[in-house]
Amino acid sequence: MNHQVKAITLNCWGVPVVARNRAHRMHAIAEWLATADYDFIFLEEVWLKSDYALIRTKTEKQYPHSHYFYSGVIGSGTCILSRHPFSTSLYHRSPVNGFAHMVHHGDWFGGKGVGFCQARCRGLTVNLYTTHLHANYNKARDVYSCHRLVQSFDCAQFVRMTSFGADLIIFAGDFNTNPDELPYKVVTHCAGLKDAYYLDSSTNKEVPEEPTCEAPKNSYTSSGSVLEHGERIDLVFVGTRGSTRLEEVLYSQPMPAVVPGASFSFSDHEAVAVTLRLSTLPDAAAKWIFHPCNRRDGVLREALTVCETYLRSLHVDQIFHVVLSVLLLAVLVATLGVPVLHGWAQGLLRLVITLMFGYTVFMASVWNRMERAGITAGMCDLRVALNKCPESGSSPPPAGRRDSTDCDGNTELTSGDQDNATANGSF
């Protein structure tokens, strides 16, 4: 039996105030989607309830089923629209989500994680996953690289552990990572999925690939962009299970370059659409169709190294904030009863110093421990996946050799661990 499933993902760039032409673009996006022919629509950066309500109103006839994933302070910004009813839904929040004090970035307030819906589509059980990983705000000094790495592994593990029983898995969203970067490799090697872009024989496999962010054709790409050719960070990963086979994948960026009748694009990202043609063999033995993972152990070890380095930097940050707290406290005590400034200015100075002191104490204690716990949790899971995963072809550690799966953040991986055997199965 043959099936066809179509899906599209778009980062709508719906940031209030900051995003240019937001209201006009949201109307245009909703109207375009209302006439589009897809089974599933994945949207990111739909931050305002009014924008979500607008999209739902415009598309409800074509896509009667929808689910918005609420998380954090302002919501995750992610949602899924569908022609087919959902049988279940869930949102799994990541252990690290950026920095609350970096208000101008805002990722922490969205409560990053992975959203999950399951639907029945033409006789297939389809698991739908969406995410919007932490953005990279500085290519030269990416302070969120470890957070994004832990988020990608957390998403991959969640997809892997909840996809049993599905015939088709679609994982789409804004991953904020390029195919040559570690978070991308973690998703492909640990979730057992493949990038739909590479499954279409007609796509450009040479660098530069077809960009989805800061693309030269996009009206919001500045002429002085540090990315000459843009980057491909909006992705659709797919996988099949059991007797379902993926026969053909068609990849496209279907939205026009600009909104009809306007001079600007629908978003600062490009929409990515896939058409999946599948077959079902009723007598085929059920097995997991898994991406070959002969390099999986190396990816996990590299991820652990990044996390260990970041933990050391957290210790340095803690020392810095402790020293700063002591200095501010000393200044605060020294100004008691000593008129440094006249009148209200003295009180204002003491108020500012007090607030700074409270901030540094919070960063050195509560926040540092929260972030350390989140990164350590990710390292624990990485070690378990590396040493204890049932797909692993690694031998158990010999008697007398310590198993490096304790999660105190101090042990190191043993160099004698064997690489995972390549998992069987292909598309």
Side-chain angles (χ1 to χ4, degrees), residues 213-234:
C213 181
E214 297 200 42
K217 67 179 181 180
N218 193 289
S219 68
Y220 295 108
T221 300
S222 64
S223 57
S225 173
V226 296
L227 299 170
E228 180 182 358
H229 303 289
E231 54 185 353
R232 191 171 68 85
I233 60 177
D234 300 271

Side-chain angles (χ1 to χ4, degrees), residues 69-83:
F69 297 100
Y70 291 92
S71 180
V73 179
I74 58 176
S76 70
T78 60
C79 60
I80 300 177
L81 312 181
S82 172
R83 289 178 182 268

Side-chain angles (χ1 to χ4, degrees), residues 276-297:
L276 310 176
R277 293 172 181 166
L278 309 108
S279 63
T280 302
L281 306 176
D283 298 327
K287 69 172 182 177
W288 173 252
I289 307 303
F290 192 67
H291 180 64
C293 290
N294 54 314
R295 293 185 298 274
R296 178 176 173 276
D297 278 12

Side-chain angles (χ1 to χ4, degrees), residues 39-352:
D39 293 293
F40 306 108
I41 298 174
F42 303 80
L43 300 177
E44 304 84 51
E45 286 206 30
V46 183
W47 296 115
L48 296 181
K49 291 182 179 179
S50 58
D51 287 340
Y52 177 65
L54 168 68
I55 293 172
R56 288 298 304 123
T57 301
K58 294 281 187 179
T59 62
E60 192 169 13
K61 184 176 180 180
Q62 187 83 334
Y63 303 96
H65 310 282
S66 67
H67 190 82
Y68 186 92
F69 297 100
Y70 291 92
S71 180
V73 179
I74 58 176
S76 70
T78 60
C79 60
I80 300 177
L81 312 181
S82 172
R83 289 178 182 268
H84 314 279
F86 299 131
S87 59
T88 188
S89 65
L90 180 66
Y91 190 81
H92 173 69
R93 189 166 173 175
S94 297
V96 288
N97 280 284
F99 308 130
H101 58 283
M102 303 293 277
V103 180
H104 58 296
H105 289 166
D107 292 68
W108 182 85
F109 298 92
K112 299 292 186 179
V114 55
F116 162 56
C117 287
Q118 187 176 83
R120 290 287 295 177
C121 173
R122 301 182 182 92
L124 298 174
T125 298
V126 184
N127 277 20
L128 308 165
Y129 301 90
T130 187
T131 192
H132 183 192
L133 300 185
H134 204 297
N136 179 358
Y137 295 96
N138 188 333
K139 301 297 180 183
R141 185 175 179 271
D142 183 11
V143 297
Y144 298 111
S145 60
C146 188
H147 282 219
R148 190 161 51 254
L149 176 61
V150 172
Q151 287 174 355
S152 66
F153 179 72
D154 197 55
C155 288
Q157 290 291 87
F158 180 81
V159 170
R160 191 75 188 282
M161 290 186 289
T162 57
S163 56
F164 292 98
D167 299 305
L168 173 65
I169 302 104
I170 305 176
F171 187 14
D174 179 358
F175 289 79
N176 277 307
T177 181
N178 286 296
D180 60 344
E181 295 176 333
L182 190 56
Y184 176 97
K185 297 174 184 176
V186 165
V187 172
T188 56
H189 285 75
C190 299
L193 304 177
K194 286 189 175 182
D195 187 343
Y197 181 86
Y198 294 126
L199 296 177
D200 186 339
S201 59
S202 66
T203 54
N204 176 34
K205 307 302 190 298
E206 302 295 328
V207 177
E209 297 176 347
E210 299 174 29
T212 65
C213 181
E214 297 200 42
K217 67 179 181 180
N218 193 289
S219 68
Y220 295 108
T221 300
S222 64
S223 57
S225 173
V226 296
L227 299 170
E228 180 182 358
H229 303 289
E231 54 185 353
R232 191 171 68 85
I233 60 177
D234 300 271
L235 310 168
V236 179
F237 295 100
V238 296
T240 56
R241 182 181 169 87
S243 59
T244 306
R245 298 292 182 267
L246 189 57
E247 303 294 343
E248 184 180 15
V249 175
L250 301 178
Y251 174 99
S252 65
Q253 294 182 6
M255 277 187 158
V258 295
V259 173
S263 59
F264 48 82
S265 301
F266 285 86
S267 173
D268 61 343
H269 289 242
E270 306 302 320
V272 171
V274 296
T275 299
L276 310 176
R277 293 172 181 166
L278 309 108
S279 63
T280 302
L281 306 176
D283 298 327
K287 69 172 182 177
W288 173 252
I289 307 303
F290 192 67
H291 180 64
C293 290
N294 54 314
R295 293 185 298 274
R296 178 176 173 276
D297 278 12
V299 169
L300 293 178
R301 287 194 177 95
E302 186 178 353
L304 271 172
T305 300
V306 171
C307 291
E308 289 165 353
T309 302
Y310 189 77
L311 275 183
R312 289 193 290 269
S313 73
L314 284 180
H315 181 64
V316 174
D317 287 346
Q318 185 178 40
I319 293 175
F320 169 78
H321 285 108
V322 167
V323 171
L324 197 56
S325 299
V326 172
L327 292 176
L328 289 169
L329 181 60
V331 172
L332 199 60
V333 172
T335 57
L336 284 174
V338 180
V340 178
L341 298 173
H342 296 289
W344 61 268
Q346 174 83 356
L348 180 61
L349 174 64
R350 290 182 57 78
L351 176 61
V352 170

